[in-house]
Amino acid sequence: MQHYDFAIVGAGYAGSVLAERLASQSGKKVLVLDKRPHIGGNAYDYYNEDGILIHLYGPHIFHTNSADVFSYLSNFTEWRPYEHRVLASVEGQLLPIPINLDTVNKLYGKNFTSEELADYFKTVGEPVENIKTSEDVVVSQVGRDLYEKFFKNYTKKQWGVYPSELDKSVTSRIPTRTNQDDRYFSDEFQAMPLHGFTKMFEKMVDHPNITLMLSTDFKDVKDSLSYDQLIYTGPVDEYFDHCYGKLPYRSLHFEHKTLNEEWHQPVAVVNYPNDHAYTRITEYKHLTGQEHPTKTSITFEYPQAEGDPYYPVPMPENAELYRKYKQLADQQDNVHFVGRLGTYRYYNMDQVVAQALTLYKKLVGADSLADVA
Ligand code: FAD
């Protein structure tokens, strides 16, 4: 039986970054397992039967403020500059989200300047003494009407609960602007991998010290593997056989379609806060820059409770349950939990890369992220 220095469960960002660093920088023999038939985790993309590059698990847009993370990933891909823009379909109009000057002027038929909009927000914003929930964040900034039109029902569809029941972190991710900046993100680095995410992952794990075992569930093979240390990026509660009960995750059903038209919508993502069972429609050619004169591929997202675990649900009782699993995790010798599912955190791709590099730093005793990226 082949012996490995590290077995890594999951070939998404967390698993692939650690495999790459351990194999190429530390000369370790690494086995990477994934129960899916492909690498890349939720960021996996592929060319569909019509030759259009799509994201199997919904749109992934890369953005970060970390020069270390951007420079690390640049070892494996060139980039296509891309700034993400989203419109929300509200009362028959497509309006910029995050809410900005144009959103408010178009919705209410006003002609506010930035200063006037800031004053307007002060008059409609509801004072909240102690901001705890996602509703508190929005109503305190932009008032109840905008909250109800853009956030309340979207959040209910997405998470199955109203923003008043969700931790403030969910809506805090979305800024409010009084200028005309209509970019979804304001990070310093915003770009898409030029040839797609999967090509970037292929380069990461292409190393003689890395063995890939796809379509393999760790549970089914764990007793037959030989390794010194385990890195686990699957759901932490599953690792412990749900001994304290199941951590809630929100799931999604994706409906992928190709249409016989060049373009379907003006931007990559259109949100539907108040109509339809789906939350949003993504049109990939906007994201990837791919050209096709007669076809375009889109995805509808339907949130659901059951299915693949995508989003840890940020509610106080879930954080409490996770704390119990974390205590167990910390007691394991030579087992490291990392990634969105392994640490039950609503992390973006760049945050998972940073978390994985931080674990690598700890494993090799380096001083700073820049030393290991
Ligand atoms: P994952 O990518 O989930 O990888 C974990 C892997 O472990 C999976 O491939 C899984 O199959 C495998 N696994 C689990 N259990 C086992 C087991 N028992 N045996 C074997 N394998 C196992 N982030 C952004 O920065 N920008 C975005 O625009 C963005 N959009 C998103 C849209 C959606 C719909 C979703 C769901 C997420 C989005 N994210 C986005 C977040 C991003 O997907 C994650 O931050 C990132 O993919 C997490 O990487 P990971 O390695 O932690 O987990």
Side-chain angles (χ1 to χ4, degrees):
M1 187 199 299
Q2 168 81 46
H3 180 80
Y4 296 94
D5 299 307
F6 284 85
I8 299 184
V9 179
Y13 275 97
S16 299
V17 167
L18 277 151
E20 187 281 326
R21 288 290 87 177
L22 288 163
S24 78
Q25 303 299 301
S26 303
K28 301 291 182 195
K29 292 259 180 256
V30 182
L31 172 69
V32 180
L33 301 137
D34 203 300
K35 60 182 176 190
R36 289 169 169 167
H38 58 74
I39 57 173
N42 286 338
Y44 172 72
D45 55 13
Y46 73 106
Y47 287 90
N48 66 13
E49 60 278 16
D50 295 294
I52 295 182
L53 184 62
I54 74 158
H55 298 181
L56 185 58
Y57 306 102
H60 278 68
I61 294 102
F62 186 79
H63 56 102
T64 188
N65 281 318
S66 165
D68 289 336
V69 166
F70 192 66
S71 128
Y72 169 72
L73 291 177
S74 302
N75 292 317
F76 314 103
T77 187
E78 294 166 69
W79 299 95
R80 166 181 186 261
Y82 171 75
E83 289 184 326
H84 192 46
R85 288 181 168 78
V86 179
L87 296 171
S89 171
V90 172
E91 297 184 347
Q93 298 195 70
L94 292 182
L95 302 170
I97 181 89
I99 290 172
N100 72 6
L101 184 61
D102 290 327
T103 315
V104 176
N105 280 340
K106 284 184 185 160
L107 180 68
Y108 296 131
K110 298 278 186 199
N111 203 10
F112 285 142
T113 62
S114 291
E115 292 71 31
E116 286 166 346
L117 180 58
D119 289 342
Y120 174 76
F121 284 155
K122 276 185 206 143
T123 62
V124 292
E126 293 180 7
V128 180
E129 208 168 286
N130 187 2
I131 294 185
K132 279 202 193 128
T133 70
S134 276
E135 176 177 310
D136 296 342
V137 173
V138 183
V139 294
S140 65
Q141 285 176 6
V142 299
R144 198 149 291 272
D145 193 53
L146 289 168
Y147 162 74
E148 289 188 347
K149 290 191 166 109
F150 288 86
F151 288 91
K152 184 177 168 187
N153 299 324
Y154 188 91
T155 308
K156 175 74 165 73
K157 265 199 268 184
Q158 175 75 4
W159 294 96
V161 293
Y162 284 110
S164 54
E165 295 161 75
L166 272 183
D167 186 83
K168 63 181 175 189
S169 58
V170 175
T171 50
S172 300
R173 297 161 69 95
I174 304 158
T176 303
R177 303 193 179 113
T178 51
N179 57 20
Q180 289 181 294
D181 184 355
D182 62 349
R183 296 169 310 154
Y184 199 74
F185 305 111
S186 41
D187 299 53
E188 189 180 345
F189 304 96
Q190 304 190 35
M192 296 292 283
L194 187 60
H195 304 292
F197 288 104
T198 303
K199 282 270 172 275
M200 179 179 81
F201 279 95
E202 281 171 3
K203 269 192 132 177
M204 260 189 214
V205 297
D206 179 19
H207 192 280
N209 287 349
I210 298 178
T211 304
L212 271 181
M213 217 188 229
L214 298 176
S215 305
T216 308
D217 194 317
F218 176 64
K219 281 198 292 279
D220 298 335
V221 296
K222 64 179 181 199
D223 296 332
S224 61
L225 299 176
S226 168
Y227 54 84
D228 293 333
Q229 300 198 51
L230 179 69
I231 292 173
Y232 192 83
T233 79
V236 59
D237 53 330
E238 201 175 287
Y239 180 87
F240 293 110
D241 295 325
H242 307 112
C243 63
Y244 297 129
K246 277 193 169 183
L247 279 167
Y249 297 91
R250 196 70 178 153
S251 191
L252 291 166
H253 165 68
F254 300 102
E255 193 182 319
H256 302 291
K257 270 193 181 157
T258 297
L259 308 173
N260 291 320
E261 56 192 24
E262 187 178 6
W263 293 107
H264 180 66
Q265 59 191 32
V267 290
V269 172
V270 174
N271 285 356
Y272 290 86
N274 307 311
D275 318 302
H276 308 295
Y278 49 83
T279 45
R280 56 181 182 172
I281 299 178
T282 298
E283 184 173 20
Y284 293 100
K285 290 198 302 183
H286 291 286
L287 295 180
T288 59
Q290 194 181 357
E291 290 177 11
H292 197 299
T294 56
K295 284 186 193 292
T296 192
S297 293
I298 61 172
T299 296
F300 299 79
E301 276 171 63
Y302 296 86
Q304 56 188 30
E306 298 304 322
D308 277 358
Y310 290 128
Y311 298 107
V313 184
M315 294 169 82
E317 58 270 36
N318 302 344
E320 192 45 50
L321 183 55
Y322 169 65
R323 254 192 294 279
K324 291 168 79 178
Y325 282 111
K326 168 93 171 61
Q327 267 177 6
L328 262 190
D330 290 343
Q331 288 161 16
Q332 308 301 304
D333 283 334
N334 297 322
V335 186
H336 313 276
F337 294 85
V338 60
R340 209 182 223 213
L341 304 171
T343 57
Y344 200 65
R345 299 242 179 93
Y346 185 20
Y347 270 163
N348 283 326
M349 298 183 278
D350 64 320
Q351 294 170 303
V352 173
V353 173
Q355 193 193 33
L357 290 173
T358 302
L359 174 57
Y360 175 68
K361 182 170 82 110
K362 194 175 124 201
L363 292 171
V364 299
D367 286 334
S368 77
L369 216 55
D371 291 340
V372 295

